[in-house]
Amino acid sequence: MAKSLGASLYVPANHKSLASIANGEKLPQARSLIFCLEDAIADRELSWSLFNLSVVLANMRAGIPAERFVRVRNPEVMARVLAMPGADKLTGFVLPKVTRQNFETYFRLVRDTDHVLMPTLETAEVFSDSEMQLLRAAFEAPGVRHRILALRIGGNDLLALLGLRRPRGMTIYRTPLGPVIARLVTTFRPYGFSLTAPVFEYLDLPELLDQEVLEDLAYGMVGKTAIHPTQIAPIEQHYKVRPQDLAVARAILDEASPAVFRMDDAMCEVATHRAWAERLVEQSHRFGARSMEGEPT
C-alpha cells in the first residue's frame, strides 16, 4: 500500500506563482503538488502553460519536502514534459482518463525513468467491473506495479458521465458514486493498490468537507485532492492519529501481545489488524497525533 499522501494540491501550470510554489517558498505547508496541464488549462493556454512549466522545471530546486507531479493532458504532452530540462526532479506524473487501452502508451514513456505514476480513474470504463479487473491486470504487469504510487478517483468526471453534479448538501458517498467508489476499493485495495479521494469543490462548506474526509478515511483512501490552499489543513487534520488508536496499533504490532486481546473496549486480533496497525503508525509519523481533546499536537 502507498503511504498516506494527505492533501495533494492542484496548481494550474500557467499559475503566476508556479516557480515559488514549486520551490516551497510559497505554500510551504503543501506536502504534495500537482502541476496541472489538463482540465485547469484551456486549449488556447496550453502552449504558454508548457513554456511556463519548462522555465519552472529548469530552475526548480531538488530536495524540497514536497513531492511534485505533473498532471499531463495526453501522451504527447507527457513526452514534451519529459524532454524538458529538470523533468528528472519531478516525483512523477498524474495520468488523466486512464483505460487499459491507453495505459501502455503512457507507461512506455516513463519505462526507463524513475518517475512514479498516479493513474486517474474517470472514464465510463470505471462503471464496468470487468474493465476495472482488466485494468488492474495491466497495473500488475512485471515492471509496472511498483511504479504505481496510487490510483486517483476523478469524481467530477464520473458524475459528468452521469449528467450530474454533486449537490451542495451531501458528501460524494451519498451520490451514485458511493457504490462505485466502494467497488473500486474492493477491486484494487486487496491487490496492493491504494486510492485517493475525489475533490471537494465547495470552498464555503467546511463542515461538509470535514464529514467527507472522515468518510474518505473510512473507505481507506490515502489522500484527497485539494483545489485551494485553504483546503490543505482541514483535510490533513483528519490524518493526524488519535492517541488511543495509536496505542492500540502499537499494541497489535508488539511481538509480546497475545493473538487476540481486548483494548479500548474493542477486540484486537494481531493477524487481521496488522495491516491497519502498520498503516496507522506510518500515518502518525507523517502527520503526527492529536491531543486528547482532539486538537493537533
Side-chain angles (χ1 to χ4, degrees):
M1 297 289 182
K3 65 184 178 183
S4 296
L5 300 174
S8 295
L9 179 66
Y10 272 176
V11 184
N14 60 358
H15 196 288
K16 62 181 181 180
S17 300
L18 188 65
S20 60
I21 294 172
N23 282 321
E25 298 156 2
K26 188 173 183 179
L27 308 180
Q29 71 274 28
R31 300 171 188 270
S32 176
L33 297 164
I34 300 174
F35 310 140
C36 186
L37 285 166
E38 200 215 5
D39 289 347
I41 303 299
D43 290 344
R44 64 182 181 277
E45 298 172 333
L46 180 59
S47 293
W48 161 250
S49 300
L50 282 164
F51 171 74
N52 191 45
L53 180 64
S54 70
V55 173
V56 169
L57 291 184
N59 295 281
M60 194 167 72
R61 291 199 301 268
I64 74 164
E67 295 181 318
R68 296 165 293 191
F69 303 85
V70 171
R71 182 192 193 192
V72 296
R73 200 181 194 90
N74 51 47
E76 292 74 25
V77 166
M78 188 172 177
R80 292 178 66 177
V81 175
L82 283 165
M84 295 175 182
D88 58 302
K89 290 175 280 189
L90 292 168
T91 304
F93 293 90
V94 174
L95 310 180
K97 300 175 176 59
V98 167
T99 66
R100 63 186 174 96
Q101 285 79 17
N102 64 22
F103 176 69
E104 178 59 28
T105 303
Y106 281 114
F107 187 73
R108 278 200 303 267
L109 294 171
V110 297
R111 188 187 305 275
D112 298 322
T113 74
D114 294 325
H115 295 112
V116 297
L117 302 174
M118 291 197 284
T120 309
L121 309 177
E122 54 185 347
T123 66
E125 285 84 353
V126 172
F127 300 113
S128 166
D129 288 348
S130 60
E131 280 294 327
M132 290 300 95
Q133 291 163 7
L134 290 168
L135 182 58
R136 185 185 71 211
F139 294 156
E140 290 182 306
V144 176
R145 183 178 184 137
H146 72 282
R147 304 288 291 278
I148 306 294
L149 179 63
L151 308 178
R152 307 189 73 82
I153 300 175
N156 283 340
D157 282 83
L158 292 173
L159 284 173
L161 289 169
L162 303 175
L164 300 173
R165 181 180 182 180
R166 173 224 293 269
R168 291 182 64 89
M170 59 183 63
T171 70
I172 198 76
Y173 299 95
R174 292 182 57 204
T175 72
L177 289 193
V180 177
I181 295 173
R183 286 198 300 274
L184 290 175
V185 170
T186 56
T187 298
F188 288 101
R189 276 190 67 92
Y191 297 86
F193 296 101
S194 296
L195 297 104
T196 68
V199 302
F200 183 87
E201 66 263 44
Y202 299 114
L203 299 176
D204 59 341
L205 297 172
E207 295 85 1
L208 194 61
L209 173 60
D210 283 343
Q211 180 182 341
E212 181 159 301
V213 177
L214 289 172
E215 293 183 32
D216 292 340
L217 291 169
Y219 275 68
M221 300 292 148
V222 301
K224 190 173 188 68
T225 302
I227 57 170
H228 193 275
T230 58
Q231 290 187 331
I232 295 175
I235 290 172
E236 293 196 344
Q237 69 173 333
H238 295 291
Y239 282 78
K240 293 181 180 291
V241 178
R242 295 193 320 149
Q244 305 96 307
D245 293 336
L246 186 56
V248 171
R250 286 175 172 158
I252 289 170
L253 297 176
D254 188 341
E255 292 183 359
S257 293
V260 180
F261 61 95
R262 174 180 174 175
M263 186 171 178
D264 200 21
D265 281 330
M267 181 182 72
C268 301
E269 291 186 272
V270 171
T272 56
H273 294 147
R274 176 172 291 276
W276 168 84
E278 290 173 344
R279 189 173 71 252
L280 203 75
V281 170
E282 181 276 326
Q283 193 170 311
S284 74
H285 291 160
R286 188 165 171 81
F287 297 97
R290 292 174 174 267
S291 70
M292 294 303 291
E293 291 75 28
E295 294 300 322
T297 56

